[in-house]
Amino acid sequence: MQNIELTPLHILGFIYIAFAHQTDGEFTHDEQKIVWQKLKSQIDNEIPYVQFTHLMDDMTRLYKLKMNDDNIVEVVMELAAELVEMEWFVRPRRLACLRDLKAIALADDKFMESEKKWINRFSAIWQINRRTLNRL
């Protein structure tokens, strides 16, 4: 994707941004804030904050280039599938990411049907059954 070597953090950042925007057509300041907070919590102290901000800037720029593509949803789901193949993306992290997506969805105090559908798709790709998903 656009000459950037995608790490799991790049992919997750792209997914979070796309989810926040594509599910309702808006990417509000509150959603952006939660996306950054949730992604930062996923990486803990794996990279310095300056490097994290560069990563998010890269992903935001890349997303802006891709956001109007006809196949953006498929691209996001393919990236989600790539995560499953990465050693870093263990089951507890998958569950945390689903919780993060729900928090991003609720940033505007609404849980829209489109957001629920995306989360259901992610949970299927990430091999999290519906019963576990409902407990999140």
Side-chain angles (χ1 to χ4, degrees):
M1 238 194 214
Q2 293 293 0
N3 300 328
I4 296 174
E5 185 178 330
L6 295 180
T7 67
L9 303 175
H10 283 94
I11 293 171
L12 198 55
F14 190 90
I15 288 171
Y16 282 11
I17 293 167
F19 174 79
H21 180 249
Q22 292 293 319
T23 53
D24 64 6
E26 295 180 1
F27 188 42
T28 66
H29 179 69
D30 289 339
E31 287 172 324
Q32 180 183 4
K33 184 178 171 183
I34 288 180
V35 164
W36 278 57
Q37 287 173 346
K38 295 301 181 181
L39 189 61
K40 183 69 174 127
S41 72
Q42 284 290 340
I43 64 170
D44 197 27
N45 292 318
E46 291 179 37
I47 61 174
Y49 187 75
V50 171
Q51 190 177 347
F52 171 74
T53 60
H54 289 301
L55 178 144
M56 289 308 294
D57 288 345
D58 287 346
M59 287 301 85
T60 301
R61 258 191 314 280
L62 182 57
Y63 177 71
K64 285 180 180 179
L65 291 172
K66 298 284 187 187
M67 69 184 195
N68 293 319
D69 288 1
D70 290 337
N71 67 336
I72 186 64
V73 176
E74 289 76 26
V75 168
V76 172
M77 296 306 158
E78 287 172 11
L79 289 171
E82 280 185 39
L83 281 176
V84 174
E85 303 301 319
M86 297 178 176
E87 190 175 309
W88 177 86
F89 202 59
V90 294
R91 182 176 169 81
R93 193 172 304 271
R94 294 175 194 182
L95 293 170
C97 288
L98 290 169
R99 278 189 221 95
D100 289 351
L101 290 169
K102 187 171 181 181
I104 293 165
L106 293 172
D108 59 3
D109 296 322
K110 294 178 247 170
F111 197 25
M112 299 173 62
E113 193 59 36
S114 58
E115 293 163 333
K116 291 175 187 176
K117 286 180 182 178
W118 274 56
I119 289 173
N120 284 333
R121 286 184 74 181
F122 287 127
S123 68
I125 292 168
W126 293 341
Q127 303 163 354
I128 305 298
N129 65 42
R130 188 165 304 274
R131 185 171 158 210
T132 302
L133 178 62
N134 289 337
R135 287 194 310 246
L136 296 178

